[in-house]
Amino acid sequence: MDTDRAVALAREDVDAGVGRWLPATADLEIDLSGPVGDSAFIAVRWVHRGTNTGADDPFLGLAPTGDLVEVHGVTLVEDCGDAEPVFHRFVDWVGVFDQLGMAVGGRLTVSEHPGQIGSPPDA
Amino acid sequence: MPIPMPYYLEKGPLFAVLESYINTGPDSRLVDALKKFRKGDPWESFEVLGSGSLKNPNQRDAADWVKHLHQHCFGKAPDGKGNWVQQPFHPVTNPQTGYWLGYYGDVDSIVRETFIRLLEVALGVDHDTNPNTPIVPTRRWPVVFLWKCSQSWFEGWVTWHRRGNGPKDGEVTVIWATPSVEGSIVLDSPLAGRNLAEYRVDPISTKTGPPWGGAAAVEATQGMWVVTHERNKPYAGSAVTTTAGSPKGQWPSPMPGRVCAEGRVVTVAPSMADGGVLAEGLAFTPPT
């Protein structure tokens, strides 16, 4: 697969995966200096900017905020020969959650209490 | 750093003793406390923090409690002139108040205002910002404290319920709704708490008895049970990796913190060390 083909496929994949809840306000920005790899895997670096609408297909079931959101990612486009290509996406989801205002609880879930049995009470 | 409490809802020894302090003794105890809060008196002046009931290897005396409050809860440091001061917010060098994860705010003022409001409701007096206004109680409602953490910012909730027209016919429930603290954990199973004497699984009544101590079962003064699945397991990371290959347009969901509950539904009474309550509470004892 050549890099132009990989870039085009990555663009279509981002439009289909992100554009549903984040319709683009500008053309998908592809780092044209970035596509690297061999014939089997090509890495495409991209930035997608859009407005968080998409009430019919909301992101994670969340109500659209109407805010401008910027998504950064890299897609590895895998050439599978005669089969359809496969996409491996590395996306800055933490940045997306932050821009959407999603809260993080900050507690680690554990199966055992680190305190000893009979530990003194605390507050 | 305090040993983290492992449940989402807590009371624990500090609030147990605080309840005992507020709900016993003469009305003047609450009137004096309200006067102090209205005047903005320092935390060192509140005797409840010196209670013998609160002495343990981690917080031995009132000075340690005051230091804990200032440093961890209010995010303050000594200024070298005898004052505790909170530094201004800075996104890099001072992004957080004390040990509250990801939150900056004036927790000291929130806590003080919450105490003013809850004492005014408990005593049946109007809100007043003038510290010299006489306080004449019209009632004495008991106060219950609970601490719920893991939200994004700090709140003090004061709720109350009148049950009649007598001076004791009502109660005040205070909920501290806060961010998580540094080092926070939560047990994936309510059965995994520290197995102290007052802990038991599937209580069948509100009476005390083995293993709560005492031969004869008697009605417990207090109780705090949690009802949930035996285990609440976060998905293994590999099961929801968002980088797995997939066809065009079919993106794995990046939703964080997903949980799948397992096992039967159980009822558990957490130990006081884990934020629960003792059957008879934890009585305030005067500073020695």
Side-chain angles (χ1 to χ4, degrees):
Chain A
M1 182 184 295
D2 60 37
T3 54
D4 289 346
R5 172 72 174 146
V7 167
L9 287 172
R11 184 188 300 274
E12 292 172 10
D13 180 60
V14 173
D15 278 340
V18 179
R20 292 175 301 151
W21 58 272
L22 195 67
T25 53
D27 284 344
L28 181 65
E29 180 182 309
I30 299 286
D31 183 353
L32 293 177
S33 65
V36 293
D38 53 28
S39 59
F41 288 93
I42 294 179
V44 181
R45 182 181 172 191
W46 51 266
V47 179
H48 179 92
R49 297 181 185 87
T51 304
N52 181 208
T53 55
D56 294 335
D57 191 5
F59 177 58
L60 302 178
L62 305 171
T65 63
D67 293 340
L68 188 66
V69 175
E70 188 172 284
V71 186
H72 292 246
V74 173
T75 300
L76 282 181
V77 183
E78 181 181 4
D79 187 349
C80 298
D82 293 337
E84 290 294 314
V86 170
F87 299 80
H88 307 259
R89 310 163 191 92
F90 297 79
V91 181
D92 176 24
W93 289 118
V94 173
V96 173
F97 298 152
D98 215 21
Q99 292 175 75
L100 292 176
M102 285 179 66
V104 178
R107 276 193 166 196
L108 291 179
T109 304
V110 299
S111 294
E112 293 183 6
H113 196 291
Q116 298 297 312
I117 291 175
S119 296
D122 216 323
Chain B
M1 186 59 65
I3 298 170
M5 291 189 180
Y7 293 96
Y8 278 123
L9 189 68
E10 304 162 0
K11 185 186 298 286
L14 176 60
F15 293 122
V17 171
L18 199 52
E19 284 178 4
S20 169
Y21 182 76
I22 288 178
N23 298 329
T24 61
D27 289 354
S28 60
R29 173 179 283 179
L30 274 63
V31 171
D32 290 344
L34 180 54
K35 282 181 183 174
K36 288 175 179 286
F37 278 118
R38 284 180 172 176
K39 286 166 54 183
D41 283 0
W43 289 99
E44 288 85 340
S45 68
F46 291 88
E47 69 168 349
V48 66
L49 295 175
S51 172
S53 311
L54 289 174
K55 288 184 178 178
N56 66 52
N58 292 319
Q59 280 101 13
R60 290 190 177 84
D61 54 28
D64 287 331
W65 273 107
V66 169
K67 183 178 178 183
H68 167 61
L69 286 175
H70 280 301
Q71 283 189 334
H72 299 134
C73 299
F74 306 150
K76 296 183 176 183
D79 66 354
K81 302 173 185 173
N83 304 309
W84 290 88
V85 178
Q86 183 179 18
Q87 297 301 312
F89 171 78
H90 187 282
V92 176
T93 60
N94 195 37
Q96 180 174 305
T97 293
Y99 62 8
W100 305 112
L101 279 172
Y103 171 73
Y104 181 92
D106 185 355
V107 175
D108 190 344
S109 293
I110 295 173
V111 172
R112 284 178 180 274
E113 184 66 17
T114 303
F115 270 106
I116 288 172
R117 299 292 180 159
L118 77 89
L119 289 169
E120 288 172 345
V121 174
L123 293 171
V125 300
D126 288 340
H127 179 60
D128 198 320
T129 56
N130 184 347
N132 298 317
T133 301
I135 300 170
V136 182
T138 62
R139 65 192 184 207
R140 177 75 178 273
W141 286 357
V143 179
V144 171
F145 291 97
L146 292 170
W147 180 7
K148 178 80 177 76
C149 75
S150 293
Q151 67 174 44
S152 296
W153 54 82
F154 197 105
E155 297 171 331
W157 288 81
V158 180
T159 75
W160 64 92
H161 196 147
R162 177 189 295 279
R163 303 290 184 187
N165 295 320
K168 298 181 184 298
D169 295 341
E171 73 259 349
V172 183
T173 302
V174 177
I175 300 170
W176 303 103
T178 77
S180 299
V181 302
E182 290 176 343
S184 286
I185 58 166
V186 61
L187 292 170
D188 63 12
S189 170
L191 307 175
R194 283 170 283 185
N195 194 9
L196 298 186
E198 73 272 24
Y199 164 92
R200 64 179 180 178
V201 179
D202 286 346
I204 57 172
S205 75
T206 57
K207 291 183 172 57
T208 64
W212 290 47
V218 296
E219 187 75 15
T221 305
Q222 299 187 19
M224 188 166 159
W225 299 344
V226 56
V227 182
T228 187
H229 274 282
E230 280 182 281
R231 194 166 295 278
N232 299 284
K233 295 292 289 184
Y235 285 15
S238 58
V240 293
T241 178
T242 59
T243 61
S246 63
K248 185 170 68 179
Q250 297 180 23
W251 288 47
S253 169
M255 173 63 90
R258 284 183 288 195
V259 166
C260 181
E262 299 174 352
R264 63 195 176 99
V265 173
V266 296
T267 303
V268 175
S271 68
M272 173 165 277
D274 287 345
V277 300
L278 299 172
E280 303 307 321
L282 184 59
F284 166 78
T285 57
T288 54

